[in-house]
Amino acid sequence: MNDTILDVKNIQKYYTNKGNTTKAIDNISFNVQKGEFLGIMGSSGSGKSTLLNCISTIDKVTSGNIYIDKQDISKIKGNQLSDFRGKKLGFIFQDFNLLDTLTAYENIALALSINNIKPAKIDVLVKQIAKDLNIQEILKKFPYHMSGGQQQRVVAARAMVTNPSLILADEPTGALDSVSAIMLLEMLTEINNKFNSTILMVTHDAMSASYSNRVLFLKDGQIFKEIYRGTVNQKTFFNKVLEVISEMRG
């Protein structure tokens, strides 16, 4: 049975500015299976942010196709695209983007109310995900009354509560100190293992990438290399990631 969640086929992305054309993505193809935790690594200008923007439906490819749950996202437009994004994608941003004026419960519920879910169903779903992530006791708290770890779990709950096909994490540890970063990465691993959630994480950080099952390395808009973690532990995989980075730097 083919359980492909994301299928990226021969995509190219060009930007034209004042007559100059830049190729941000140069014929990239890969796929992501259900329950995978994929890391995408690359330095600034490698094309990783452009790739994420195209997968997240924020930007459109110049040519090629991106399929999420076998739907070609380049063929979806307007309100249908917003609807698709709300139902199929979960987001974990670098700065969390929790709304300070809303409680944890309301921050999580917002993802559902945008999708026109009935209040009674919202209540059930929020309480269930809060139980799954062990944050029932902070549902009435505002973000500024939570610890960093609690905020992280609220962010994860918000990303997961719609039961999305794909969770996209954009440099999720970029603004965190090392202890908070490891807590977040361990939480992503837990979500991946416990709930079989499919995660795609874009990062420039080798430590973050080493928590995933597979890493794609981008350079000049192309896939430079791909490595699988297999059965090795995170520390061993971290060293493999570092080896590829030094190889990329020549």
Side-chain angles (χ1 to χ4, degrees):
M1 190 171 113
N2 187 349
D3 240 354
T4 303
I5 296 293
L6 171 69
D7 195 7
V8 175
K9 289 190 170 179
N10 307 111
I11 64 166
Q12 305 204 53
K13 179 65 183 178
Y14 300 96
Y15 291 108
T16 304
N17 183 27
K18 295 178 182 170
N20 296 322
T21 300
T22 307
K23 191 184 271 190
I25 297 176
D26 184 8
N27 199 29
I28 285 179
S29 297
F30 67 94
N31 58 45
V32 180
Q33 302 302 308
K34 170 77 180 153
E36 255 200 291
F37 183 177
L38 175 71
I40 293 182
M41 270 209 87
S43 58
S44 181
S46 61
K48 67 183 188 303
S49 297
T50 303
L51 176 62
L52 183 71
N53 287 343
C54 291
I55 292 168
S56 65
T57 74
I58 290 164
D59 205 348
K60 285 202 179 295
V61 296
T62 306
S63 65
N65 304 86
I66 297 174
Y67 299 90
I68 295 174
D69 271 352
K70 302 184 173 51
Q71 267 190 283
D72 186 345
I73 59 175
S74 65
K75 304 278 195 288
I76 313 170
K77 292 183 172 60
N79 290 341
Q80 283 181 310
L81 193 59
S82 305
D83 197 43
F84 179 87
R85 195 183 299 132
K87 288 188 169 74
K88 295 286 186 182
L89 302 175
F91 294 91
I92 295 176
F93 301 100
Q94 184 180 115
D95 51 6
F96 293 170
N97 287 0
L98 288 175
L99 297 170
D100 286 336
T101 54
L102 300 183
T103 61
Y105 180 101
E106 290 163 342
N107 266 289
I108 300 164
L110 191 61
L112 294 163
S113 55
I114 287 168
N115 286 329
N116 300 317
I117 307 293
K118 290 187 168 67
K121 179 89 184 288
I122 287 177
D123 192 57
V124 171
L125 291 170
V126 171
K127 285 176 178 169
Q128 182 57 54
I129 198 73
K131 187 179 173 205
D132 288 342
L133 291 175
N134 201 20
I135 51 171
Q136 305 102 301
E137 77 287 354
I138 61 158
L139 283 178
K140 290 179 180 172
K141 285 188 178 181
F142 291 93
Y144 49 84
H145 287 143
M146 301 175 204
S147 68
Q150 288 170 334
Q151 286 188 27
Q152 287 176 7
R153 287 189 172 263
V154 172
V155 168
R158 183 184 60 188
M160 292 169 63
V161 73
T162 56
N163 193 25
S165 300
L166 184 63
I167 294 173
L168 299 171
D170 183 12
E171 297 278 8
T173 61
L176 301 176
D177 60 71
S178 57
V179 173
S180 301
I182 286 169
M183 278 171 59
L184 177 67
L185 292 162
E186 286 176 348
M187 184 186 70
L188 288 175
T189 304
E190 177 194 335
I191 289 168
N192 176 243
N193 292 335
K194 189 174 170 184
F195 304 104
N196 202 33
S197 297
T198 310
I199 302 171
L200 185 151
M201 174 177 65
V202 167
T203 183
H204 67 276
D205 175 55
M207 177 61 76
S208 298
S210 69
Y211 277 81
S212 55
N213 314 132
R214 170 169 65 120
V215 184
L216 288 181
F217 296 85
L218 297 194
K219 185 177 180 180
D220 301 327
Q222 296 180 318
I223 294 173
F224 175 80
K225 197 162 192 173
E226 173 181 35
I227 59 171
Y228 288 82
R229 181 161 158 185
T231 55
V232 303
N233 64 24
Q234 177 266 322
K235 282 185 176 150
T236 307
F237 196 46
F238 173 59
N239 288 325
K240 282 177 78 173
V241 171
L242 289 178
E243 281 170 20
V244 179
I245 291 170
S246 75
E247 196 184 320
M248 282 169 85
R249 289 173 181 160

